[in-house]
Amino acid sequence: MRYAFLDEEAKKEIRRSILKAIAIPGYIVGFASRELPVARGWGTGGLQVTLALINEKDNLKVIDQGCDGSVNAVNIRNFIKSVTNVNTTTKTTDASIIQTRHRVPEIELQERQTLVYQVPMPDVLETVEPNISKAKLLHANADYSKLWVLLYEDTSQFGDSRISNRYPVMVNNRYAMDPSPIPKYDTPKLNDCKALQIFGAGREKKIYAIPPYTKVEPLKFEDRDFKVENFDGKSCSRCGSTNSFLDEVYDDEGITHYYCNDTDYCDSNIEVGEK
């Protein structure tokens, strides 16, 4: 069986696309997305990026919405393990490659780590310009006036943007980019990140990247602060954290509880408290 499932020509082609994406931060690069034993739309883009990069020395972590134990995360991790025999981990600090769906880990990423995003819709202009040819021309001319109009209309009517995830960002002062459906809470983490960030959209056959220490800023007006989800006055019922992204959960009696979305971060807090 081939190492990491994909044939060598496929891996070469994906790696070339990744190198181009790194060389031009935020630029969308096409690639020949392969068939995998996973349905398109369930992480095939991120999976192909991971399979093209991974080697025997890597330590792999896979999360879905911050959780290491969800069905999507477990199945992808087991598949990669079966075709590579690499070591796997649930610890962010121990991982060399982290494949994620819709979250950036709470624990700060470091150099020599790679964060691979599973992306459903790669082009940030899709909501305002569905014509692909016209969208490419807008990117080429750095013409993002339609995005600004969208933000202006929301702000004038509602006082702030209604975009709760996939909030558009400007990469390296050049390309507007879709950061995948991460919450606004995670958007500031993209800026000046020490790790390499690679975004793979298998169904749309697109790859783009943010190299380490790259400037990434959310699109916002100068007289408006960028607001993220607010958890003031709330804490994790499990570890007591007051500075993480929290999930709201109702028990059988209708009582609201909050838990850290990032299970590794929550477990790490508990381990520190037990020492």
Side-chain angles (χ1 to χ4, degrees):
M1 187 178 192
R2 293 186 297 264
Y3 183 80
F5 189 81
L6 297 173
D7 63 86
E8 290 306 311
E9 290 303 314
K11 287 189 230 179
K12 285 181 183 178
E13 196 257 345
I14 293 170
R15 289 167 187 160
R16 284 194 293 266
S17 296
I18 291 172
L19 286 173
K20 185 173 181 179
I22 293 171
I24 315 174
Y27 177 74
I28 298 173
V29 182
F31 78 108
S33 182
R34 268 62 174 187
E35 293 293 333
L36 294 172
V38 178
R40 293 192 186 276
W42 291 92
T44 57
L47 184 54
Q48 288 178 80
V49 169
T50 297
L51 293 174
L53 296 177
I54 202 164
N55 63 52
E56 297 90 340
K57 297 180 181 179
D58 279 311
N59 210 3
L60 174 72
K61 173 180 169 72
V62 183
I63 56 175
D64 178 5
Q65 297 282 9
C67 179
D68 296 273
S70 70
V71 172
N72 185 260
V74 170
N75 286 340
I76 288 178
R77 181 169 58 248
N78 288 345
F79 171 70
I80 298 174
K81 172 74 174 178
S82 70
V83 296
T84 62
N85 201 34
V86 297
N87 293 324
T88 61
T89 182
T90 60
K91 294 286 188 183
T92 300
T93 53
D94 293 342
S96 58
I97 296 178
I98 303 170
Q99 183 168 324
T100 180
R101 176 176 178 265
H102 302 176
R103 276 307 312 275
V104 177
E106 297 286 353
I107 297 172
E108 183 181 2
L109 300 176
Q110 301 299 316
E111 294 179 354
R112 299 185 181 278
Q113 286 186 309
T114 301
L115 183 60
V116 179
Y117 295 79
Q118 300 171 201
V119 181
M121 307 306 295
D123 196 342
V124 71
L125 291 176
E126 183 188 59
T127 55
V128 294
E129 181 48 76
N131 186 300
I132 296 176
S133 297
K134 291 181 179 178
K136 286 183 177 181
L137 186 60
L138 293 177
H139 278 300
N141 293 323
D143 180 0
Y144 298 117
S145 54
K146 290 188 176 184
L147 279 178
W148 285 110
V149 169
L150 175 65
L151 294 176
Y152 174 77
E153 290 176 344
D154 276 2
T155 303
S156 62
Q157 293 183 59
F158 308 104
D160 195 10
S161 170
R162 292 177 295 169
I163 302 173
S164 60
N165 56 45
R166 293 181 61 194
Y167 193 91
V169 295
M170 184 64 70
V171 180
N172 205 31
N173 296 319
R174 176 55 182 88
Y175 284 101
M177 190 196 83
D178 187 322
S180 94
I182 61 173
K184 293 169 73 173
Y185 183 91
D186 284 342
T187 305
K189 299 178 187 177
L190 305 180
N191 180 53
D192 203 34
C193 180
K194 298 175 184 177
L196 169 62
Q197 301 175 79
I198 306 174
F199 302 75
R203 182 178 53 203
E204 302 298 318
K205 304 179 181 180
K206 298 291 189 293
I207 289 173
Y208 50 104
I210 304 175
Y213 300 105
T214 297
K215 182 180 180 181
V216 180
E217 293 182 312
L219 266 66
K220 68 180 186 67
F221 298 105
E222 293 180 357
D223 59 344
R224 296 281 176 174
D225 292 331
F226 179 67
K227 298 178 182 178
V228 302
E229 292 83 354
N230 191 322
F231 300 103
D232 289 347
K234 302 176 179 65
S235 62
C236 176
S237 298
R238 186 165 176 262
C239 74
S241 173
T242 58
N243 57 357
S244 63
F245 189 87
L246 300 175
D247 290 332
E248 188 176 284
V249 180
Y250 296 89
D251 63 19
D252 294 338
E253 298 177 357
I255 300 174
T256 304
H257 299 273
Y258 293 90
Y259 297 95
C260 290
N261 176 270
D262 187 329
T263 53
D264 172 47
Y265 181 76
C266 194
D267 291 342
S268 298
N269 286 339
I270 293 174
E271 290 176 7
V272 171
E274 291 176 346
K275 290 181 180 180

